Amino acid sequence: MDYRFPFGQPLSIRTQQDRSPKSTFILGAYAGAVHACWTDAEGEILVKALAVASEPEMYWTGDKSGITSEDIVRAIAVPPGAGTLGATAEGFNGLAGRVLDGRILEPLGLTRTDVWLCDCVPHTCLNNVQRKAIRRQYFHRMAQFHLPMPDMPGVPELITEQRCEEIIGELHESGAERMIVLGDQALHWFVRPVTGDWEWRDLHDFVDDQGYGAVVRRSIAGREVDILPLAHPRQIAHPGVPDPTWYDLHNAYLG
């Protein structure tokens, strides 16, 4: 895999590093990215939050392991005349990791040492917001400023059967008897096909059927697992715009 972010940083695979047995398996959608604010040579903002590098670890908190987003962005070479990459708003870097720690793990009495982290797609994906930003500001500057060609995989419609098998392998390796599923995509991409619960197209369907914070016991490849679907960390970080539903439901769940 030789995918590249804008400005040339390689796309990296992120997987669980501590392979010791865990009580809980966390399944998300796809790995996060480090974002930078890109300004032109005159200081005008071109993109407020452009994905420019892979996060240094899974569910990075923005400064864990002594690495900050400023350190990562500062190390990226910007050709002369192409402007500057600098700090972006706090919510764009490390938010999912901070929310995972403070609003999901801690209320359940868990820490990072208790959980096995996994994403359905173990690398960053190019979402529509980033794709539009690259088309709008990056492509037409490539020739003028000798910018490297970005090449990023998009968000898939589904993950492959092979990837499902790899996730099942990690689940078995972890020894976890509980799986926390974060958001619509992980529920749709993995839980539906491996459990056969096809009526749960997304978290709304699950909540309508079971209620937010409900735990269901299902068999995954012959192993009984307690499954707890929750909203994606970004949806429960703050009330948000335009829909505070998941924030409110998660607050009620926390009591």
Side-chain angles (χ1 to χ4, degrees), residues 22 24 33 35 55 73 80 107 112 119 127 140 171 184 187 194 201 205-206 217 230:
K22 305 297 179 186
T24 304
H35 295 78
E55 289 187 338
V73 170
R112 293 284 182 115
D119 282 315
N127 62 31
H140 72 273
L171 176 62
D184 289 342
L187 190 66
V194 301
R201 293 168 299 177
D205 287 340
F206 179 86
R217 192 162 182 83
L230 296 175

Side-chain angles (χ1 to χ4, degrees), residues 31 123 137 198 215 242:
H123 55 71
Q137 301 290 11
W198 295 103
V215 175

Side-chain angles (χ1 to χ4, degrees), residues 100-169:
L100 175 69
D101 288 350
R103 288 179 58 78
I104 295 175
L105 299 186
E106 185 178 339
L108 292 171
L110 300 170
T111 68
R112 293 284 182 115
T113 60
D114 301 312
V115 302
W116 185 292
L117 299 175
C118 183
D119 282 315
C120 291
V121 181
H123 55 71
T124 300
C125 294
L126 187 67
N127 62 31
N128 287 333
V129 173
Q130 291 293 314
R131 180 179 288 106
K132 290 177 181 177
I134 291 170
R135 287 177 177 172
R136 185 178 67 251
Q137 301 290 11
Y138 191 91
F139 280 155
H140 72 273
R141 289 177 168 84
M142 287 176 55
Q144 180 182 3
F145 299 115
H146 305 288
L147 297 172
M149 171 66 78
D151 181 17
M152 297 281 290
V155 180
E157 299 257 341
L158 292 169
I159 60 174
T160 65
E161 184 177 344
Q162 177 183 341
R163 181 57 189 155
C164 283
E165 290 297 328
E166 291 170 352
I167 295 168
I168 290 170

Side-chain angles (χ1 to χ4, degrees), residues 33-44:
V34 178
H35 295 78
C37 179
W38 181 22
T39 57
D40 66 15
E42 285 71 46
E44 293 294 322

Side-chain angles (χ1 to χ4, degrees), residues 20 59 68 92 97 105 107-108 114 118 121 140 152 154-155 164 171 178-179 181 188 212 228 240-242 246:
S20 62
Y59 288 90
T68 68
F92 286 103
L105 299 186
L108 292 171
D114 301 312
C118 183
V121 181
H140 72 273
M152 297 281 290
V155 180
C164 283
L171 176 62
R178 172 171 56 183
M179 172 185 285
V181 180
H188 179 67
Y212 189 85
L228 169 59
V241 177
W246 298 116

